[in-house]
Amino acid sequence: MRILVTVLLGAVIMMSISCGKDKDDSRQRRFISLKLDNRVYLSDSPKGTIYVPNFSDQNPDNDFPRMEITGQSYNGDVITFTLTNATLPFTPGVYPATKSGNGMLMALNSTSPATLSSEGSADFYITITNIDNVAVEGSFSGTLTDISGSGGPRAVKDGAFRAVITQVSQ
């Protein structure tokens, strides 16, 4: 009888352990990742800031909402996105670098130092796939130009991001 009770108790414990729900926190992870020249760049915990328009001054550059997402890789490479919109809130959609205020800037510090920009690129796009009051996520791809003069155009592939956002005034 003791053996039967021990076996049943062991079976109940094993069933309760094996049937436990796994917590899926993959949606909580914040990152910027991309492939540039067949090398993967990863930034953990980037910060996103939405700057609300300021109509009370004479500066026309801050009359539109602007979002900046900035991250730094473990090797010291800095990745920055800037998006503008006609009105708040930012919505899911495609933000081409051909529109003034949209783009990406990347300062490479881990390899040969260079500064890459999407300015003037006709094929660089940032796509917001999901945005709410807490986080923004999306993808990006296209060609970056080396504005430091140390090389030619470079292709960005498989770019993705997810960042926590805050809203501040300009």
Side-chain angles (χ1 to χ4, degrees):
M1 183 70 171
R2 272 190 196 173
I3 296 175
L4 181 61
V5 171
T6 305
V7 169
L8 285 175
L9 185 58
V12 168
I13 291 173
M14 290 300 288
M15 295 280 278
S16 65
I17 292 172
S18 65
C19 293
K21 293 185 178 181
D22 292 333
K23 183 179 175 186
D24 181 21
D25 61 351
S26 63
R27 303 259 319 137
Q28 300 300 319
R29 183 160 183 255
R30 308 301 182 213
F31 65 92
I32 298 173
S33 70
L34 64 113
K35 190 183 295 183
L36 177 71
D37 299 333
N38 293 322
R39 181 174 178 194
V40 175
Y41 292 84
L42 177 64
S43 168
D44 228 4
S45 301
K47 305 291 185 235
T49 306
I50 296 176
Y51 298 95
V52 296
N54 182 3
F55 299 114
S56 63
D57 63 1
Q58 300 299 318
N59 184 0
D61 292 336
N62 64 6
D63 289 347
F64 295 98
R66 179 173 48 100
M67 181 189 313
E68 280 186 8
I69 302 169
T70 302
Q72 184 171 357
S73 74
Y74 298 111
N75 297 325
D77 303 312
V78 179
I79 305 163
T80 303
F81 298 102
T82 305
L83 302 170
T84 58
N85 202 15
T87 60
L88 284 174
F90 280 87
T91 57
V94 177
Y95 294 80
T98 54
K99 182 181 173 194
S100 178
N102 293 342
M104 178 179 169
L105 188 66
M106 187 170 180
L108 298 177
N109 298 314
S110 61
T111 58
S112 58
T115 303
L116 308 175
S117 174
S118 64
E119 187 174 331
S121 177
D123 68 345
F124 193 89
Y125 297 95
I126 301 168
T127 303
I128 294 178
T129 55
N130 192 14
I131 187 168
D132 56 27
N133 292 338
V134 177
V136 60
E137 66 182 285
S139 61
F140 57 94
S141 65
T143 304
L144 297 178
T145 304
D146 189 345
I147 59 175
S148 59
S150 61
R154 299 168 80 174
V156 171
K157 298 177 185 173
D158 303 326
F161 64 92
R162 187 178 304 130
V164 173
I165 53 175
T166 56
Q167 189 166 307
V168 298
S169 61
Q170 295 192 55

